[in-house]
Amino acid sequence: MDAYDNLKNAIVQQAVEDYAAAFMGNKVGGKGPSAVMWECEKFFHSDWYAALTNGAINGEWLARNVKIRELEKAAKTYETILGAHSSTAFRVSAHFPKEQGKEKPKSVTYIFPPRFAVGIMDALRIQLETIMAEIRELKAASEEAST
C-alpha cells in the first residue's frame, strides 16, 4: 500500500470515527452531534467518498454498520453493569470531558444505596432493551438492502 492509499484510508477512517462519536451524542471538533452526522452522511454519499473507496464500500452500509457497532458496544457495557450488580448498593464513577477554555471537571464517585439501586437497574434494563431493539432494526435494514 502506498502513501496515497494510506491517505485515502485515513480520510475515510476519520469520517467513520467522527460519525461514531456523533452517533453516540458527542461533539466533534466543537460541532454538535447532529451537524457532524449530517456532514458524515453527506460525505458517505458523495462522489469523493466513492473515489476514495473505489466504489467498494457502500456509504449507506458503512453508516449503518458504524451505528450497529456503537450500539453493540453500548449494549455490552449495559450487560456488564447489569450482570455485575444486584439490586444492592453499587458504586459509580463518572469522568467528565474537558470543555474548551474550562478546567476539566473532577471525577465523581457515588455509592447508590439499595433503595435507589433497584430503580436505576430497572432503568438500565429498559435502556438495554431499547438498544437491542435498535440493533435488530438496523440489522434487518442491512439484510433488506443486501437482498
Side-chain angles (χ1 to χ4, degrees):
M1 189 180 300
D2 65 6
Y4 180 68
D5 288 331
N6 288 337
L7 178 59
K8 291 191 314 184
N9 291 339
I11 292 168
V12 173
Q13 182 61 38
Q14 187 63 57
V16 166
E17 290 173 15
D18 291 351
Y19 190 72
F23 177 69
M24 295 308 289
N26 298 302
K27 289 182 177 180
V28 177
K31 295 179 183 176
S34 299
V36 174
M37 286 186 68
W38 180 83
E39 287 177 9
C40 289
E41 287 169 354
K42 186 177 172 185
F43 169 68
F44 293 147
H45 292 95
S46 71
D47 291 339
W48 186 37
Y49 170 80
L52 291 172
T53 62
N54 296 322
I57 303 170
N58 178 286
E60 189 70 33
W61 175 90
L62 180 62
R64 190 171 29 252
N65 279 279
V66 168
K67 290 177 182 179
I68 291 169
R69 182 192 72 195
E70 294 303 309
L71 288 170
E72 286 176 339
K73 286 182 354 188
K76 190 177 230 178
T77 300
Y78 277 77
E79 289 166 347
T80 300
I81 293 167
L82 290 167
H85 298 87
S86 63
S87 60
T88 61
F90 62 94
R91 178 186 318 236
V92 173
S93 293
H95 305 276
F96 306 99
K98 182 178 192 258
E99 290 189 35
Q100 192 171 9
K102 296 182 180 179
E103 278 189 45
K104 183 175 176 13
K106 292 183 180 179
S107 297
V108 175
T109 300
Y110 182 74
I111 299 174
F112 287 93
R115 65 180 278 191
F116 297 137
V118 173
I120 292 168
M121 297 305 278
D122 288 343
L124 290 175
R125 283 185 198 91
I126 292 167
Q127 186 67 36
L128 177 59
E129 289 172 16
T130 303
I131 291 169
M132 297 307 291
E134 191 169 351
I135 291 169
R136 286 190 298 274
E137 288 175 21
L138 287 166
K139 286 184 175 181
S142 279
E143 290 174 12
E144 285 178 18
S146 66
T147 57

